Structures are given as C-alpha cells and as structure tokens.
Amino acid sequence: MVVSSNGGDVYDWAEAVKEFDKAKSGVKGLVDAGVTELPRLFVHPAEHLQSNPTDPALQPQLPTIDFAGRRQEVVEGIRKASEEWGFFRIINHGVPSETMDAMLEGVRRFHEQPTAEKMPLYSDDSRMRVRFNSNSALRENDSASWRDILTCVFNDDHIDPDLIPHACRQEVQEYVKQMIRLRETMAELMSEALGLPSDYLSNIECMKSEAMACLYYPVCPEPQKTLGTPKHSDTTFLTLLMQDAIGGLQILHGGQWVNVPPVPGALIANIGDLMQIISNDKFISVEHRVVAQPVGPRISVACFFTPSMSAAAKPFGPIKELLSDENPAIYREFMFRDYCQYYKIKGQDVSSALPHYKI
Ligand code: OGA
Ligand code: NI
C-alpha cells in the first residue's frame, strides 16, 4: 500500500503481486489465513464478470459424444462439435472412474498439504517440469484469479517420476497413462473427422507431449468480484479436461456464456488454437472461463497436448491436404518454439495468437 500526497490510499499493483508471491502459499494460503474480503489484486473489472441472463435450464447443451456408439457416428459427432462448439463432452471413453476419482483426490491431497511442503515448488519458471503457482505471467495491472495450480510437463510422454510430488505421484502417473491412451483414440477420430487418413495426426506428432494442470479453486469469500480462471482460449492442440462435481466452467458460445455442468464419469475435450490453425479454421478454439464460487474447493485437471520435441523443431501450418483453390491457407507456417515465445512476450494481454499468424 502506498499513501498518496493527499493522504488517500493508492493501490500499488506491483507491491501486491510481490507480497502475494513472497508468501508462496497461493490463494489457498489466503483462505487459510482467514480472508473475508477479496484482496484488491483479485478484483476483476466489471466487463470480465458479465454473465448470461438466460435461465441455465434454457441454455444450449454442450454436445455429448458416446464412444460406445458406431464409429461413423462418433466421427461425425466430433466433426460437427469441433466445427460448431470447439468443445464436447465424451462418455464411455474407457478411462476407469477409479483412476479419475483417485486423480482428483491426489490433486486435493497435494494442494491441502502444509504450505511448507509446496513452497519449494513455487515458481513461474516454465523450464521447471513440475511447478506450483497461482497466477503466473501477470502483466502490469492484470487482475489475479482465485485458484492455485500444480503443473507437470511430460515431454514426449515422459517425465522423471521423482519430480512429481509424493502426495499425488502414483495418481498422476496412472492418470497420464490413460490420457495418452485416449489421446491416441482422439488423434484417429479427429484425423477422420478432418477427412484425413486415421494415422495423420499421430504421424505429425502434434500431440505427443502433455502439460497437466492440476487446478484447485478454493472457496471464495466474494465470488461476484473475481474469476476462478479468466476468459481464454487454450493455446495447445487439444485439451482433455476432468472436473469434479462443483461446476463453474463456462464457454462463450453464440456470444453468450454457456454453463458446462459436470456429468459424473464424463470428460470434456476442447480444440486448442494450434488445431484451429492446422485445420485452417475448420475446427474452432473457443474462449472459456471458470467462475469463482462460494462453495468448494473445486478441483479440475486439464491435460494439454503439444508437439513432440522433434515436431516442435519443424514448421507447423495449415494441413496441405485440406487446402485447395476454394480453401486457401489462412495462416502462415511457423515454429512451435516461436509460438511459445510469442505468448511469453505478450503474457495475458493477448487473447489468442491466431491473428498474428494470419496471412
Ligand atoms: C484451463 C481451463 C478449466 C477448468 O486450465 O485452461 O480452461 O475447469 N481450465 O479448470
Ligand atoms: Ni482452458
């Protein structure tokens, strides 16, 4: 806090961020300390907080794809949902519910450990394969959001298991195995949905690495003033998301915020910016957010798929087989490395890199 010359309080954003990071205890640390008022750093401007006036019962429903259905129907369902929604629910996906429940419990165990256990992992350094933080990449005067994150990065499907915190090591390893298996299925189905040979997406290794975000949204004392996760689109190729029973995820569909209520046992798949680029805008990467709530904690796990190490060193661009005189390339080719760098430089300012790569 800085006192201005006229004696009034002036909010010092940089100081607030410094104080918050110094504690290394995240949002959960604030809740444990008994905050009853939302700290100013977390207050979002009113335009971030708009909600949908439509009665949730009358809102459009996210499409559900049943993997137990006929293959042709599954492929067609994915094509339609990826073109019109960018998001869909999947059921009968083969990930055992015990593995899902155990993962949610493992994530809870990690975040609910004494702060001293988590502190050594508190970092913004994206080179760390495993890190704990809350609001990374904030740019000046950005509002912070009401959640903590444990991130585990698997390059080419691999991580040194000893790096994963003990509190959830087994659960993370088991869960990622299932995500990798489901990724193979998704790659085949999405290749077919694009009208390409089944092994196309697998061959270009665009989803061969994973970054797993294990999210923890504590109970919020003033949920109407902040967000759990601010509006964004995923920068990756594909995301597979698991959420617990609390709810709060919303996607921007038809210009309105539409709720994505939890369905037991279901997973959510969503198209990332990179998939929108290589599909030349056939599949869409859609903005979404998580509202803050007076109930919780809410736990979710987002598995983001990115290229293999070798594919990251080659250029990506719209898939040639999809292009024609009627459908010319909308985006130029670029290196995945530079794409990541672009986000690092721009931080939260940029809602999406798509316009930057337009021809
Ligand atoms: C994300 C995300 C949604 C959720 O981490 O990119 O959109 O439900 N998470 O936590
Ligand atoms: Ni997201």
Side-chain angles (χ1 to χ4, degrees), residues 87 229-230 232-235 239 241 249 270 286 288-290 302 304:
F87 264 78
T229 290
H232 67 285
S233 60
D234 291 354
T235 60
T239 306
L241 178 79
L249 175 64
N270 69 281
V286 165
H288 51 287
R289 68 180 185 183
V290 178
F304 303 110

Side-chain angles (χ1 to χ4, degrees), residues 89 104 146-147 215-220 223 227-229 241-251 258-264 268 289-301:
R89 201 175 269 122
L104 291 172
W146 203 252
R147 50 96 211 276
L215 295 130
Y216 185 93
Y217 300 85
V219 166
C220 185
L227 286 166
T229 290
L241 178 79
M242 166 170 66
Q243 58 171 337
D244 70 7
I246 300 271
L249 175 64
Q250 299 184 327
I251 71 175
V258 172
N259 292 327
V260 181
V263 169
I268 291 159
R289 68 180 185 183
V290 178
V291 294
Q293 294 179 91
V295 292
R298 173 183 187 266
I299 295 166
S300 63
V301 179

Side-chain angles (χ1 to χ4, degrees), residues 79 82-83 86 190-191 193-196 200-201 204 206 236-237 271-285 316-324 327-332 334 354:
R79 184 195 59 75
S82 301
E83 287 181 11
M190 292 180 73
S191 299
L194 286 168
L196 298 165
Y200 194 96
L201 291 173
I204 62 169
C206 62
T236 54
F237 274 92
I271 303 295
D273 294 348
L274 287 164
M275 188 67 80
Q276 175 162 345
I277 290 175
I278 67 164
S279 73
N280 209 36
D281 276 359
K282 185 170 164 69
F283 290 173
I284 54 170
S285 174
F316 273 104
I319 294 171
K320 302 271 186 307
E321 288 83 341
L322 299 179
L323 303 178
S324 62
N327 183 26
I330 299 171
Y331 302 97
R332 57 194 166 86
F334 57 89
L354 295 183

